[in-house]
Amino acid sequence: MGATDRFTRSEVQRILEVNEKQLDYWERLRLVRPRRRWGERFYDFKDLISLRTVKQLTEKGVPAYRLRRSIVALQRRLSEVQAPLTELRILSNGRDIIVEQNGTRLEPLSGQLVLNFDTRELGEKLRIIPERSAEEWFALALEFEGDPSTCAEAIDAYQHALKKNSDWVEALINLGELLYEQGDFEAAVDYFQRAVELRPQSSLAHYNLGSVLEEIGQLETAQRHLRQAVRLKPDYSDAHYNLALVCEKLSASEEARQHWRRYVELDPFSPWCTYARERLGFEHGNKSP
């Protein structure tokens, strides 16, 4: 957890406009479990989302202890759900708590499914907890991305973030990289292309787009974007390397040599530097040109 993803108790109270007694009570009920370090409790972004949900439900009249019972019941019934307050959509009219997952509504304590006509009596009083913001989806995606086993969840979270903010370049690039790693090159091209259109001065966007275009055989276009990447960032070693590869495939030998040389200068201790030297005609272990 990075420094920007850590909040003290006083910061949480200020952000959510709750008092210390409320926070203590919710912690005793284990609605949230802060970490401790050097005697101080601190919270991450998921904790903020959970606490916001708790606050909204209690303000609607749902007792915190009843919410805790519902969460325990949910975790028993839905073993794949680790953090119900952040992973599920929760609805309440102040008396009833209903959880929605994948379009199915469930009453947590009884485990009974709730059909649409069963909730008509709630009418306009039914309060739907606001959906996550683009920033919240992005933060969740970053957490999922840190674990290879949750790559699919990271992709889904980035897609949700982009539904909220379709012009978020960082989300476009991160999602494109995940899809590229999964071998979905065509989809990756779409996201990288959008990133380039939105931020034409991004060397990373041009590099990613050029690299995936090389993978699918669109060499001339790949060359153009990789050239732009090194123009924008002359010390971009990986871009020089990939551009050298593309130039060789296009029989642009002299340009390829220029980029092999530049790569060797920029990253002489890289494991790929041996190959670059070989392409320049140097034997392994010789000094760079």
Side-chain angles (χ1 to χ4, degrees):
M1 183 168 61
T4 58
D5 196 20
R6 179 183 296 178
F7 304 89
T8 64
R9 282 175 64 82
S10 60
E11 288 173 333
V12 169
Q13 290 173 45
R14 176 178 55 80
I15 292 169
L16 297 178
E17 298 181 344
V18 298
N19 59 49
E20 189 169 1
K21 288 184 178 180
Q22 286 176 300
L23 206 50
D24 284 336
Y25 180 49
W26 295 339
E27 287 178 15
R28 287 200 303 273
L29 290 175
R30 291 188 293 177
L31 292 171
V32 65
R33 297 183 180 182
R35 263 64 62 201
R36 292 178 182 270
R37 189 175 185 183
W38 299 316
E40 183 181 3
R41 284 175 285 185
F42 56 89
Y43 309 76
D44 63 17
F45 198 79
K46 276 190 173 182
D47 293 329
L48 281 184
I49 298 172
S50 296
L51 287 167
R52 186 192 65 177
T53 304
V54 171
K55 181 189 176 188
Q56 290 170 335
L57 288 168
T58 55
E59 286 178 345
K60 191 64 179 177
V62 177
Y65 71 87
R66 189 163 184 266
L67 181 57
R68 172 61 187 166
R69 288 174 55 205
S70 297
I71 290 172
V72 171
L74 278 171
Q75 289 174 325
R76 289 174 181 164
R77 298 179 189 281
L78 303 174
S79 58
E80 74 277 13
V81 175
Q82 300 299 316
L85 288 171
T86 60
E87 297 176 36
L88 300 174
R89 193 169 182 230
I90 301 175
L91 305 89
S92 177
N93 65 346
R95 175 174 56 86
D96 304 290
I97 297 176
I98 297 171
V99 172
E100 187 172 84
Q101 184 187 42
N102 299 326
T104 300
R105 290 181 176 181
L106 178 75
E107 201 289 313
L109 295 176
S110 68
Q112 294 179 341
L113 295 178
V114 180
L115 302 179
N116 287 337
F117 58 79
D118 291 329
T119 60
R120 285 178 187 168
E121 64 178 11
L122 302 180
E124 295 300 321
K125 295 181 180 179
L126 186 66
R127 184 171 189 271
I128 300 177
I129 300 304
E131 295 183 1
R132 295 187 185 97
S133 66
E135 291 75 14
E136 290 168 341
W137 279 115
F138 188 85
L140 286 174
L142 289 176
E143 290 194 26
F144 284 132
E145 195 174 347
D147 183 350
S149 67
T150 55
C151 179
E153 288 83 352
I155 290 172
D156 181 68
Y158 279 128
Q159 289 172 336
H160 276 88
L162 288 167
K163 286 179 182 177
K164 298 285 185 179
N165 182 358
S166 61
D167 294 342
W168 196 338
V169 172
E170 287 75 18
L172 289 167
I173 290 175
N174 290 1
L175 178 54
E177 288 176 347
L178 286 175
L179 292 167
Y180 175 84
E181 292 169 3
Q182 295 294 306
D184 192 349
F185 298 146
E186 296 293 340
V189 166
D190 289 340
Y191 287 109
F192 291 147
Q193 183 65 58
R194 285 167 59 187
V196 165
E197 291 170 357
L198 288 165
R199 193 177 295 171
Q201 298 305 307
S202 170
S203 59
L204 177 59
H206 283 284
Y207 166 75
N208 283 338
L209 180 55
S211 298
V212 72
L213 287 170
E214 187 266 336
E215 290 279 1
I216 61 177
Q218 296 185 27
L219 299 179
E220 289 83 3
T221 310
Q223 183 185 47
R224 185 170 70 250
H225 285 288
L226 290 168
R227 282 173 173 170
Q228 184 63 8
V230 298
R231 287 192 195 102
L232 292 167
K233 188 178 179 182
D235 61 350
Y236 201 157
S237 60
D238 287 345
H240 283 286
Y241 187 97
N242 285 11
L243 181 52
L245 288 173
V246 170
C247 288
E248 284 197 345
K249 291 181 180 180
L250 291 171
S251 300
S253 302
E254 185 53 39
E255 184 179 353
R257 287 180 64 82
Q258 292 173 12
H259 293 292
W260 286 130
R261 289 193 190 99
R262 187 64 176 137
Y263 177 78
V264 170
E265 292 170 0
L266 290 168
D267 205 356
F269 302 109
S270 163
W272 293 278
C273 198
T274 299
Y275 181 76
R277 286 193 172 97
E278 289 175 354
R279 301 310 300 162
L280 287 166
F282 284 81
E283 295 181 358
H284 178 68
N286 284 359
K287 293 182 179 180
S288 60

